[in-house]
Amino acid sequence: MSVVSLFPSATEVAAALGVTPAAVSHQCDHPPAAAARPTLTGLVRDLESDPDGIDRIAVHDDTYYLDGDALAAADPDAILTQGVCAVCALDAGLARRAVERLDLDAAVLDVHADDLADVLANVERIGGAVGRPDAAADLRANLETRIDAVVDAVPGGTAGTNDAGDRPAGNPPRVAVLDWTDPIRHGGLWIPGLVRLAGGEPGLVAAGERSRKVDPDELRAFDPEVLVVGPCSADVDEAHGRARDLLDRESLDEVAAVREGRVFAMDGTAYLNRHSHRVVDTLEALAALIHPDRFEADGTGDDARVRRVVRAATR
């Protein structure tokens, strides 16, 4: 069975199930074996340096193109793609147009996720598409066990409430998770649910709601006790730099997280911007930041994907 993936999250899940796609998108960088596969997509602007390349393009939008020659050569039985964000990656509509244009006998699976329940369901959806249903069931069971372990460990947690991202009411710390800093945007979809499961109160965005712009005054009014900065497609070094710029640019000195030294830079690519099975890694990392007393590590020492942020300048 030949599988290709046009989306990093789907690539990661397929590989975890024992199926490394035959070809991938230019954004697929995990695991290393997948990153070494032939590339099917790219940025339209890069075609300017390869004017002859347009002859092989099956479809494109304003941002991404899909290499028809490479897709046909892979001769896929299944194409894994996404419908979450047309800015983040080539979407399912373009993939279906390419299949029609190239007359391929391939099923296109849209790996969409609004919340954690969708993320878990996608493990089994991908497992069915790539012929590994048993491995998918095992992976989902393992993920649910890890989720329950986090929920049990945080204050007021009760295992078994993980699908909807709900926990019992209490007085959890206010948490903001930013996926962009200029303008400020708060992470949405599965992120607020993860915050709740990790023992925090997201407040600014509801579970299942898309990432949205947040005015600095709104951020200050929310007064997060934990502030996590993980810009889309940024590694921890870039996230750290953007977080420091944010603290220097905006008047956030009176925000509780800043006063108490609980501002953290997080690898957006590894943790926040993809909805693969690694979302559970994100949950565990957030829980360790929000409730370091409940976990062996606080997520800022031996984990190279999270770093505490100290302001670069003093007002």
Side-chain angles (χ1 to χ4, degrees):
M1 182 178 197
S2 177
V3 176
V4 302
S5 175
L6 306 179
F7 189 45
S9 296
T11 299
E12 293 178 12
V13 173
L17 299 178
V19 178
T20 302
V24 297
S25 80
H26 66 290
Q27 297 161 313
C28 295
D29 56 9
H30 182 84
R37 295 300 200 198
T39 300
L40 294 169
T41 66
L43 296 174
V44 168
R45 67 170 183 246
D46 292 339
L47 291 175
E48 295 178 2
S49 61
D50 180 22
D52 294 333
I54 195 64
D55 292 336
R56 68 173 188 272
I57 303 308
V59 289
H60 68 86
D61 57 17
D62 291 338
T63 306
Y64 301 106
Y65 69 83
L66 177 57
D67 189 323
D69 287 349
L71 181 61
D75 191 20
D77 299 295
I79 299 173
L80 308 178
T81 183
Q82 64 92 36
V84 173
C85 177
V87 175
C88 296
L90 187 138
D91 67 23
L94 289 179
R96 292 189 177 95
R97 282 169 49 195
V99 167
E100 294 175 2
R101 185 167 298 177
L102 298 170
D103 195 25
L104 299 176
D105 184 16
V108 177
L109 178 66
D110 174 1
V111 186
H112 181 84
D114 285 335
D115 53 25
L116 180 58
D118 289 341
V119 173
L120 296 175
N122 279 337
V123 170
E124 294 193 286
R125 292 179 66 228
I126 292 173
V130 304
R132 299 299 303 271
D134 292 342
D138 289 344
L139 177 57
R140 176 168 182 165
N142 175 264
L143 296 175
E144 290 177 334
T145 297
R146 290 168 58 193
I147 292 167
D148 284 344
V150 170
V151 174
D152 274 341
V154 301
T158 300
T161 60
N162 56 57
D163 279 355
D166 297 327
R167 352 188 275 112
N171 189 30
R174 298 178 302 278
V175 180
V177 180
L178 308 183
D179 63 13
W180 206 252
T181 57
D182 192 11
I184 299 171
R185 297 188 66 88
H186 193 288
L189 299 177
W190 54 88
I191 295 298
L194 295 183
V195 170
R196 285 196 179 278
L197 289 174
E201 171 54 55
L204 291 173
V205 176
E209 180 184 354
R210 287 186 175 272
S211 169
R212 71 174 183 86
K213 185 177 178 180
V214 174
D215 186 89
D217 287 340
E218 187 179 4
L219 181 62
R220 283 188 284 269
F222 179 57
D223 192 26
E225 296 162 87
V226 178
L227 176 60
V228 178
V229 179
C232 186
S233 301
D235 62 16
V236 71
D237 291 333
E238 185 175 354
H240 186 263
R242 293 203 202 175
R244 285 170 58 138
D245 289 343
L246 174 67
L247 297 187
D248 290 338
R249 186 179 72 248
E250 301 294 347
S251 299
L252 301 177
D253 292 3
E254 296 307 311
V255 168
V258 179
R259 293 198 319 269
E260 298 166 11
R262 301 190 70 187
V263 180
F264 302 96
M266 183 174 282
D267 185 327
T269 299
Y271 277 135
L272 297 177
N273 315 140
R274 297 179 182 177
H275 55 272
S276 75
H277 62 295
R278 292 201 292 166
V279 159
V280 178
D281 294 349
T282 308
L283 172 64
E284 292 167 341
L286 288 172
L289 296 180
I290 298 167
H291 296 287
D293 57 316
R294 300 293 181 113
F295 297 87
E296 292 183 2
D298 66 2
T300 64
D302 57 0
D303 190 337
R305 292 173 293 184
V306 181
R307 185 182 308 166
R308 193 181 299 273
V309 178
V310 179
R311 284 192 53 212
T314 302
R315 293 186 185 279

